[in-house]
Amino acid sequence: KKITWYFYLIVGEYKLSEDLKLALFDYDGTIVDSAIMIVKGAIEAFRMCGLPDPDPKKVRENIGKPLAIALDDYMPPGFDVTPEQISDAYRTWYAEQGRLGLQNEPLYPGLVELLNELKKSNWLIGIATNKSRIGLTNGLAKHDLSNIFDITMSTDENIPKPNPAMAIKAMNDLGVQKERCVMIGDTINDIGLGVNAGIISIGVTWGYNSKELLSSAGASYLVNDSTELSRLMKTICP
């Protein structure tokens, strides 16, 4: 009986692997609205490095890029400070805010309900973010989401988006075929990951890039709120 039952589990797992489906989510601008926190952190990091305050508008426009690359786009010329030094200062400030429970990153409406709905519908769910690991860990803990995801990936362990490395790792680790993997995010880097990995990409319009940018980057679909996203997820990868 033990041998028969073991064989059944093996066959069951093999059959299930063909039906697995994975929804990868960006974090900043998709699950949480972190713009206020990111802009404040950039200003504090510049001050820590002896630099004049950056333009908040430019900081917001660069959300979603790897931090050092984003900083390089709006740091002032003529100072003997590298983007990596500012990035280190930013991470130090951000980690301290998390330690003190001061992360101001509210959840977007309906996202927690959507995540739970997907889990109940047999979706695997993951995060692919250009955020640091400590920032992601602190944010998930604050919103009591630490245990809901099947995989979480940050740029501390992976090549940043739009490189497809995070999607490839998630599919390999979880045993999901690329035809049954979806990337959901609010910036062209998220859509770029989807395009580069050859998977479905869904652009959400409540974040930091416009519909036009998301569409031009190659988004398979665009949604305006969590209700639209919920309806769409019921129709893809059936």
Side-chain angles (χ1 to χ4, degrees):
K1 290 183 179 179
K2 289 182 179 179
I3 295 175
T4 303
W5 177 242
Y6 180 73
F7 176 74
Y8 173 78
L9 286 176
I10 295 295
V11 172
E13 288 179 357
Y14 178 79
K15 184 177 181 181
L16 183 61
S17 70
E18 296 177 344
D19 298 327
L20 289 176
K21 48 190 179 180
L22 169 63
L24 291 174
F25 285 81
D26 173 50
Y27 189 70
D28 296 316
T30 301
I31 293 176
V32 299
D33 186 357
S34 49
I36 293 174
M37 187 79 174
I38 291 173
V39 171
K40 184 178 180 181
I43 292 172
E44 292 295 333
F46 271 53
R47 291 175 179 176
M48 290 164 68
C49 293
L51 300 173
D53 290 0
D55 181 347
K57 183 174 182 291
K58 289 185 178 180
V59 176
R60 186 182 174 92
E61 289 173 350
N62 280 275
I63 293 176
K65 294 180 180 179
L67 183 56
I69 294 174
L71 290 167
D72 194 37
D73 281 351
Y74 51 79
M75 66 179 292
F79 289 87
D80 189 24
V81 179
T82 67
E84 287 72 25
Q85 288 174 307
I86 307 173
S87 178
D88 287 344
Y90 177 92
R91 291 171 185 268
T92 298
W93 177 87
Y94 207 99
E96 179 65 7
Q97 298 303 296
R99 187 185 70 80
L100 297 173
L102 298 176
Q103 283 176 286
N104 183 15
E105 297 174 337
L107 290 158
Y108 284 107
L111 262 294
V112 173
E113 293 81 1
L114 173 65
L115 293 172
N116 285 313
E117 177 185 298
L118 291 174
K119 292 290 284 186
K120 290 177 182 177
S121 300
N122 297 319
W123 281 86
L124 299 172
I125 56 174
I127 288 180
T129 179
N130 283 346
K131 197 180 190 71
S132 69
R133 171 56 62 182
I134 190 168
L136 177 61
T137 298
N138 289 340
L140 293 177
K142 181 166 185 175
H143 293 300
D144 197 24
L145 293 174
S146 299
N147 298 319
I148 193 172
F149 293 97
D150 297 285
I151 189 169
T152 62
M153 296 163 292
S154 77
T155 52
D156 287 348
E157 316 94 25
N158 300 278
I159 303 172
K161 299 174 289 186
N163 189 287
M166 291 191 204
I168 293 170
K169 173 178 172 54
M171 289 186 286
N172 286 341
D173 286 1
L174 297 174
V176 179
Q177 300 172 7
K178 71 175 184 178
E179 293 80 11
R180 300 182 66 78
C181 183
V182 180
M183 179 66 207
I184 302 163
D186 71 300
T187 73
I188 58 175
N189 287 304
D190 304 318
I191 304 305
L193 177 146
V195 171
N196 292 333
I199 63 176
I200 296 168
S201 58
I202 301 174
V204 303
T205 63
W206 56 77
Y208 308 133
N209 281 181
S210 67
K211 289 182 179 181
E212 292 74 21
L213 278 175
L214 296 171
S215 180
S216 66
S220 310
Y221 304 94
L222 296 175
V223 294
N224 296 308
D225 55 40
S226 60
T227 301
E228 285 189 14
L229 180 54
S230 174
R231 285 198 298 262
L232 176 60
M233 295 300 283
K234 290 181 174 69
T235 68
I236 58 181
C237 301

